[in-house]
Amino acid sequence: MTRLSAAFAKGRPALVTFVTGGDPTPADTAAILDALVEGGADVIELGMPFTDPMADGPAIQLANLRALGAGTKTADILAIAAAFRARHPEVPLVLMGYANPMTIRGADWFAAECAKAGVDGVICVDIPPEEDAELGPALRAAGVSLIRLATPTTDAARLPAVLEGSSGFLYYVSVAGITGMQQAAQASIEEAVARLKASSTIPVAVGFGVRTPDQAAAIARVADGVVVGSALVDLVAKHGQAAAGPVRELTAALSQAVHQSRKEPA
């Protein structure tokens, strides 16, 4: 069993948390990642800073600018990942980002570096399934999961292409928009999750616009996992180098809400 599959096989929904690597500086990211683990996150997404984060809203856009302004490079992200793996042997780590930093040196190089650093999966926002050859085969050959995105506009005709070659979990983007700005209606999330789970055996995690424990709990009642990013990134923006404590507190509240979401009240 892989670290990712184990995270979704605990008999309860998983909390997936996102922060941007190198924000506010590469040296600060380790403490923030440790705070996510200490708070009870089941899967960690580490954002690779990029100049044009087209799927992201203002919070993560600004985090990318802070990280790049601090000089964060791909080598720093891989070093952060390797150090995280040494400290946390069992916690799944996923890199999330955009095609250019992942492919500029060649897909085989990137996949090999991910495997060497102990990265479990990769989410590449702007390589669609139709262009899988750009990155997918290299990741799969290196034993790194390619985690695909499904959206409210992914219809029944296209869903098989999204699922083909995807592993780890399926990330359902609950809004036809950018990160952190609005949340989809619960009914539409429930309908979409049911449709996706009927078509696939891999876990379905729902993200985009999930900010509070109550929102996370509602989604966790129907999904295999809940992804929270912008709310945590906002804490890094507010507290900077002192962000670990507030990040741990919010993660703990989110993890309790997600993990307890399906238990009947006494």
Side-chain angles (χ1 to χ4, degrees), residues 185-265:
Q186 182 69 18
S188 71
I189 293 173
E190 292 176 7
E191 179 184 350
V193 169
R195 178 170 57 88
L196 294 171
K197 290 181 71 65
S199 302
S200 172
T201 58
I202 65 173
V204 176
V206 176
F208 279 50
V210 186
R211 302 187 67 88
T212 69
D214 286 347
Q215 290 172 329
I219 293 171
R221 292 186 189 104
V222 297
D224 300 304
V226 182
V227 186
V228 180
S230 293
L232 293 161
V233 171
D234 280 341
L235 290 177
V236 179
K238 180 178 180 180
H239 298 281
Q241 293 178 313
V247 164
R248 187 184 304 108
E249 290 175 15
L250 178 56
T251 304
L254 289 164
S255 66
Q256 182 177 15
V258 168
H259 296 162
Q260 302 289 324
S261 62
R262 297 183 190 175
K263 292 188 176 180
E264 296 294 331

